[in-house]
Amino acid sequence: MASQGSIPGTIMLDGPMATKGYPLNKMCYSFNNASARDEFRTDEEAYYEKFKLTEEQKQAMRQRDVIGMLEAGGSIYYLAKFAGILGLNVQDVGGLQTGMTTDEFKAFLVKQGEV
């Protein structure tokens, strides 16, 4: 199980989690290149194998489960590359993490800036 951060809904990306997530993060980093995104869209399973994802990581990817990807060691900074393929932005993912809608999460962020 992923260790929980001090902010509700966050998952701590410490050394062991970063090591666990290395294949997933390396794959997501590759999405900086359009040719990599095309290769992924052509055959996702082969792309998972190319980066040696664990079964947990593959399952999270197949289900488009961003929280599962974080629990499998994914870094939000690298997962943002994949989220972009899905048409999601960081605020969308923040909403998923906290159980809020994207608009609720954006309003929450604005309110935090007022403190």
Side-chain angles (χ1 to χ4, degrees), residues 34-88:
S35 62
R37 294 189 298 270
D38 292 341
E39 183 181 348
F40 173 80
R41 288 183 188 112
T42 298
D43 188 345
E44 291 185 24
E45 292 298 322
Y47 211 71
Y48 301 153
E49 291 301 322
K50 178 178 180 176
F51 287 91
K52 299 178 175 49
L53 268 59
T54 66
E55 189 55 39
E56 176 188 16
Q57 292 165 342
K58 290 177 191 176
Q59 194 60 28
M61 292 292 294
R62 289 179 193 121
Q63 294 176 349
R64 306 303 197 245
D65 178 5
V66 176
I67 302 303
M69 292 174 209
L70 292 168
E71 292 173 342
S75 163
I76 189 58
Y77 299 105
Y78 294 115
L79 293 180
K81 309 296 182 194
F82 177 66
I85 292 174
L86 301 178
L88 301 174

Side-chain angles (χ1 to χ4, degrees), residues 12 59 76 79 88 98 101 104 106 114:
M12 180 76 75
Q59 194 60 28
I76 189 58
L79 293 180
L88 301 174
T98 59
T101 67
E104 289 169 338
K106 286 178 182 179
E114 295 172 355

